[in-house]
Amino acid sequence: MGKTTKKAVSICITSAKGGVGKTTTTLNLAGIYEVLEKKVLIIDLDVTNGGIALSLNKPYKKDIYSLFDDISLNIHNEFATYTTKYDDYIDILPCFIDPRSASKISNSIIEEIIDRASFLYDVILIDTTHLLNELNLYTLDKVDKILYIIGNDAVNLKNMKSIIKIFNDLKINKYKILLNNSYNPYKEYFSLYDIKNIIKANIDYSISSAFFIPNIDSYVMNGKIITLDKRTPKTYVKDYEVLLNIATDLLVEEEENE
Ligand SMILES: Nc1ncnc2c1ncn2[C@@H]1O[C@H](COP(=O)(O)OP(=O)(O)OP(=O)(O)O)[C@@H](O)[C@H]1O
Ligand SMILES: [Mg+2]
C-alpha cells in the first residue's frame, strides 16, 4: 500500500493434458477479477489454437508478434496499441494471427510483455497449452503463480505426477492445482483420496461437475464470460465461490523460497 507504482500479479493457467478447461477457466477468472474491480490483461499464448479473442468475439489487428516485431525494430509504441479491449476491465493480447509467427519470436518477449503490462494492470492471466515446450517452460519460470488444471482421468493424473516430480526437483512451489470436474461430468473416475495419492500432491481447489454448463457454446458465440452473467453466482453458488476463492488466493503474495 502507498506505492506510487503498481505491480500486476502474473498467473499462467496450464495443464498436463489438453482440453481440461484452461481457456474457459482463464476467461472465468478474468470475469471474477472484473467483479473485484481489478484490471486484467489476458495473454493468449496458445500459439496454434489461440481462441481467447474469438471466444470474446473480438476482431483484432495486432498480436504478440506485432509487439515483438516493433520491439526488435526499436519502435516504441504504447502497450495499449497492441491490446484489444473487451470492456473497461479486461484487455486481450491476442495470439498470433499467422501461426508461423510462433517460430519467429524469442522467448524473452514474455518477460518484456510482463514487465510492460505490470504497471498497467492488476492481474495478467496467461492462457497456454499443455506442451512442455521452450516457450511454455520459459513462461512458467517468469510468472508469479501457476494454476495447474487437472481432469479426473488416468492420463491426466499420470502426466501431472511427472510434472509434480519435476517441480519438486527444481524446487518450484509457486503452483496451485485445480481439479476440474466440470468439463466432462461423466468422467469422475478417481476419488480425491486416490488422486492425491497418485500425483503425490495436494489438490488446492475443485470445481464440481455441477458447473457443467450445457449451453457453454452460446457464451462463446455471443462473446460472453460465464462469471459475468448475473445468473451465474445464483445458479452455481458453490463453484462460483471456488472461482472467487482461487482469484483472491492467487493475488496473495507469498514468500518465495530462493
Ligand atoms: N464448465 C464447463 N461446462 C461445459 N463445457 C465446458 C466447461 N468447461 C469447458 N468446457 C468445454 O470443454 C472443452 C475444453 O475446454 P477448454 O477449451 O476451456 O480447455 P483447454 O484446456 O483450454 O483446451 P486446449 O488444451 O485445447 O487449449 C471446450 O469445448 C469447452 O467448451
Ligand atoms: Mg485452451
Side-chain angles (χ1 to χ4, degrees):
M1 296 298 274
K3 283 186 200 162
T4 48
T5 52
K6 61 176 188 180
K7 164 100 174 59
V9 176
S10 53
I11 304 163
C12 182
I13 292 93
T14 189
S15 63
K17 186 175 172 279
V20 296
K22 292 181 292 296
T23 301
T24 308
T25 306
T26 303
L27 294 172
N28 280 336
L29 286 176
I32 298 273
Y33 284 124
E34 173 168 334
V35 172
L36 298 173
E37 299 188 347
K38 303 285 181 200
K39 283 218 73 177
V40 186
L41 174 69
I42 307 177
I43 302 176
D44 190 347
L45 213 57
D46 183 344
V47 297
T48 44
N49 292 313
I52 292 283
L54 185 76
S55 304
L56 295 178
N57 239 338
K58 289 287 167 192
Y60 59 95
K61 291 211 174 69
K62 299 236 175 169
D63 62 4
I64 296 177
Y65 186 71
S66 326
L67 178 62
F68 174 75
D69 207 22
D70 285 358
I71 290 173
S72 323
L73 295 170
N74 225 356
I75 300 170
H76 293 282
N77 284 329
E78 265 188 59
F79 190 73
T81 57
Y82 302 96
T83 55
T84 301
K85 183 183 163 89
Y86 176 67
D87 64 15
D88 287 344
Y89 286 92
I90 301 171
D91 287 338
I92 311 157
L93 185 56
C95 183
F96 309 111
I97 298 164
D98 180 344
R100 286 173 299 181
S101 306
S103 59
K104 296 185 196 153
I105 63 154
S106 80
N107 296 338
S108 59
I109 185 69
I110 296 304
E111 198 172 9
E112 182 91 29
I113 294 170
I114 293 176
D115 281 352
R116 289 188 180 208
S118 256
F119 300 98
L120 303 170
Y121 298 92
D122 299 302
V123 187
I124 302 169
L125 296 175
I126 306 178
D127 182 26
T128 181
T129 60
H130 65 285
L131 305 168
L132 279 179
N133 58 22
E134 263 191 60
L135 179 65
N136 286 342
L137 286 171
Y138 188 90
T139 306
L140 292 177
D141 186 42
K142 292 298 165 202
V143 290
D144 297 314
K145 303 277 172 76
I146 301 168
L147 182 64
Y148 251 104
I149 305 190
I150 60 171
N152 196 335
D153 69 75
V155 177
N156 240 293
L157 300 177
K158 178 188 85 52
N159 293 359
M160 194 64 214
K161 182 185 176 180
S162 320
I163 285 171
I164 301 277
K165 195 176 170 316
I166 296 169
F167 276 18
N168 285 344
D169 288 349
L170 296 174
K171 298 201 168 33
I172 299 172
N173 55 14
K174 60 183 176 183
Y175 63 91
K176 299 276 185 198
I177 300 177
L178 163 62
L179 172 65
N180 187 6
N181 285 311
S182 68
Y183 69 97
N184 188 344
Y186 313 106
K187 217 173 169 181
E188 289 187 51
Y189 299 126
F190 300 95
S191 71
L192 205 54
Y193 179 82
D194 290 339
I195 293 173
K196 287 179 194 170
N197 263 330
I198 295 169
I199 68 169
K200 304 264 184 300
N202 198 26
I203 301 295
D204 298 286
Y205 321 100
S206 311
I207 292 183
S208 79
S209 51
F211 198 61
F212 175 74
I213 317 262
N215 62 336
I216 193 159
D217 290 339
S218 71
Y219 283 93
V220 176
M221 298 304 285
N222 296 308
K224 297 278 182 229
I225 294 179
I226 296 164
T227 46
L228 287 178
D229 182 334
K230 297 265 176 297
R231 292 165 297 187
T232 302
K234 296 176 203 137
T235 316
Y236 304 101
V237 181
K238 274 198 168 163
D239 291 303
Y240 184 86
E241 254 177 46
V242 172
L243 285 166
L244 199 59
N245 185 19
I246 297 172
T248 45
D249 228 17
L250 290 172
L251 291 190
V252 177
E253 278 184 42
E254 282 166 37
E255 293 290 320
E256 297 288 343
N257 293 334
E258 291 295 314

